[in-house]
């Protein structure tokens, strides 16, 4: 029995941590689609491609050679043989990724990669901004995760400090706010909740509590599927 799980929401709502927990618990692969957009942005910056050149970005997206390698609790991101796991989390990339993600041609090319990565016989947990609305419209479980901006900024700040980045809380908050606005306002598959998604505000929950809720919902849907 397979199960497809779509987790969307703004930056810092806990999507990737919760998605990883749920994937581990269900024994199915996890695909971090934000890492795909970040990898393309990293490559564009390194290849000096102007971030307003949609055609050039789409061409780069078509040839994006990305690999996710499991690494304990998380996964490493390899592009053309280079490990860019840490590099794609740099504030420079976070600040530019929404510029790249807004182009319809780019999104179309990356949709092909995401569709391929979702084709596991076991099922998949994918997180991003348009998973429930565009990438997995037939997902068995759709979750829209939110949390107050201050809570999301604090979580992202703590996470970046743990990863060794030298950051300021205020700057992290402004960056998240700007990115959410850009992701919500773009014309091509913007950040929005699918009509059949379940909304979960994680402001007052620990990540463990939120993960347990999402995993419980997945178990229920899986059981119901078996009965149908
Ligand atoms: O999940 P993340 O914060 O790593 O995502 C980085 C950016 O990538 C996000 O601000 C917008 C873009 N993105 C997107 O447009 N669609 C997705 N499915 C995932 C990410």
């Amino acid at each position: 029995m397979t199960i497809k799980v779509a987790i969307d929401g703004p930056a810092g709502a806990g999507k990737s941590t919760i998605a990883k927990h749920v994937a581990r618990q269900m024994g199915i692969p996890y695909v971090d689609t934000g890492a795909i957009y970040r990898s393309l942005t990293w490559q564009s910056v390194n290849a000096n491609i102007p971030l307003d050149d949609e055609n050039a970005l789409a061409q780069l997206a078509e040839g994006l050679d990305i690999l996710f390698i499991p690494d304990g609790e998380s996964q490493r991101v390899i592009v053309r043989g280079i490990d860019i796991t840490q590099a794609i989390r740099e504030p420079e990339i976070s600040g530019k990724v929404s510029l790249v993600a807004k182009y319809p041609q780019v999104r179309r090319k990356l949709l092909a990669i995401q569709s391929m990565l979702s084709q596991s016989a076991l099922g998949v947990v994918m997180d991003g901004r348009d998973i429930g609305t565009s990438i997995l419209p037939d997902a068995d479980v759709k979750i829209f995760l939110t949390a107050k901006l201050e809570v999301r900024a604090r979580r992202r700040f703590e996470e970046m400090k743990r990863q060794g980045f030298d950051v300021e809380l205020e700057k992290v908050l402004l960056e998240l706010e700007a990115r959410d606005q850009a992701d919500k306002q773009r014309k091509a598959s913007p950040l929005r909740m699918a009509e059949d998604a379940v909304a979960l505000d994680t402001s007052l929950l620990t990540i463990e509590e939120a993960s347990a809720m999402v995993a419980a919902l997945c178990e229920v849907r899986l059981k119901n599927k078996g009965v149908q």
Side-chain angles (χ1 to χ4, degrees), residues 6-9 33 37 101 107 111 114 127-137 144 186 188-192 194:
I7 302 184
D8 291 302
T33 66
Y37 284 92
R107 301 195 72 84
L111 180 118
Q114 294 170 80
D127 79 336
R129 303 293 185 288
D130 62 342
I131 309 303
T133 52
S134 310
I135 308 295
L136 298 176
F144 196 80
R186 70 171 175 240
S189 48
L191 165 65
R192 70 176 174 81

Side-chain angles (χ1 to χ4, degrees), residues 177-222:
E177 199 175 24
R179 197 142 58 88
D180 289 346
Q181 283 311 316
D183 291 342
K184 278 187 209 160
Q185 283 166 1
R186 70 171 175 240
K187 289 206 177 71
S189 48
L191 165 65
R192 70 176 174 81
M193 182 168 143
E195 278 172 15
D196 50 350
V198 173
L200 180 60
D201 186 324
T202 67
S203 303
L204 298 175
L205 299 173
T206 64
I207 292 296
E208 287 72 23
E209 287 167 337
S211 301
M213 287 180 185
V214 176
L217 183 60
C218 292
E219 296 286 359
V220 169
R221 291 279 162 88
L222 200 54

